[in-house]
Amino acid sequence: MAEILVLAEHDGETVKKVTVELVTLARRFGEPAVVWTGPGAQAAQARLAEYGAAKVYVADGPEYDEYIAAPKAELLAELAKQASPAAVFVPSTAEGREVGARLAVKTGWGILTDVVGLADDLTAEQVIFGGAINVAARVRTGTPIIAVRPNAITPEAAAGPAVIEPVAITVSEGAKQAKVTGRVVQQRGARPELTEASIVVSGGRGVGSADNMALIEQLADSLGAAVGASRAVTDAGWYPHQFQVGQTGKTVSPQLYVAVGISGAIQHRAGMQTSKTIMVVNKDPEAPIFELADFGVVGDLFKVVPQLVEEIGKRTS
Ligand SMILES: Cc1cc2nc3c(=O)[nH]c(=O)nc-3n(C[C@H](O)[C@H](O)[C@H](O)COP(=O)(O)OP(=O)(O)OC[C@H]3O[C@@H](n4cnc5c(N)ncnc54)[C@H](O)[C@@H]3O)c2cc1C
């Protein structure tokens, strides 16, 4: 069976959830062969095996951490030449898309980004134009490079050997043009990472102030959820920009998205409309966000949210 190369996203210690999502998806099309750059592969091996990785190519040279995207693309291009994979899967994250695009240029193969589903013939369901249009698209030239959105696939365990295979390439000087000069680890607290969370609770302008975002945090914490925000909230300085959901913020696709005091502008929808279940709290029954809602409460969030938190508390205590 042909290999499916899967570019791993990780933080040097932990495998990002999107990686096991891609491995789960890859099993349908061939032998998942994870491509791991930098340190941490040994620690991650068990988790990759749990989701059915057949092989883990490990390139642990420092250049993958020191330079942006290009060395990873060179590595993938080299492995693709050696392994003749049936497809290459990368996460549809900022870095994954850049690596994928560079690989496409190097190989002349076609790439599809923002993919949320894949048919057996590798026809991709793709979300484009800020989420306004879903299209079915298929790569016609070379081996398909598919960038899959985090949370689009439900990870399913299936044991695999995850045999580690060290690889080393000489990274060209051309791939060392942009150097990482510093890294700042963001304080995440106890909440899950926004793009990986199974539940996201987002607050909009209806929340009214920075202080009132505490209400959104309470609801999120009662559900073990990540906190998100609309751009109205982040632009007003009520919550940090890194939590913005939407076209110019993060794209999330959780099992449950709770939109509180958010009207549902197209730019916000672009970042959340592929969520599996959408719940809305808004006092305006005409708010466009209700068009997307699986469950909606027309009401004042300052009354609804505390009651919701109390009820969840009763059920979980
Ligand atoms: C190029 C561009 C990019 C953009 N990118 C993004 C993006 O990435 N993400 C994003 O979110 N936006 C983005 N925007 C902005 C977007 O167009 C909207 O302005 C923004 O999403 C509105 O945020 P909101 O829904 O919180 O506020 P509003 O549209 O003002 O909606 C507030 C809602 O709260 C409700 N409400 C008020 N009080 C209460 C209450 N007490 N209880 C219950 N409900 C209440 C109101 O009924 C209303 O529906 C972008 C815009 C542009 C032009």
Side-chain angles (χ1 to χ4, degrees), residues 268-288:
H268 187 79
R269 291 173 180 220
M272 48 64 74
Q273 65 188 356
T274 53
S275 304
K276 311 294 179 294
T277 302
I278 296 172
M279 191 198 146
V280 169
V281 181
N282 197 302
K283 68 178 183 185
D284 175 8
E286 303 296 326

Side-chain angles (χ1 to χ4, degrees), residues 205 230-231 244-248 261 263 267-268 282 300-301:
R205 201 194 313 263
S230 72
R231 181 159 159 181
Q244 183 183 313
V245 172
Q247 187 180 323
T248 44
S263 62
Q267 297 89 354
H268 187 79
N282 197 302
D300 184 344
L301 69 91

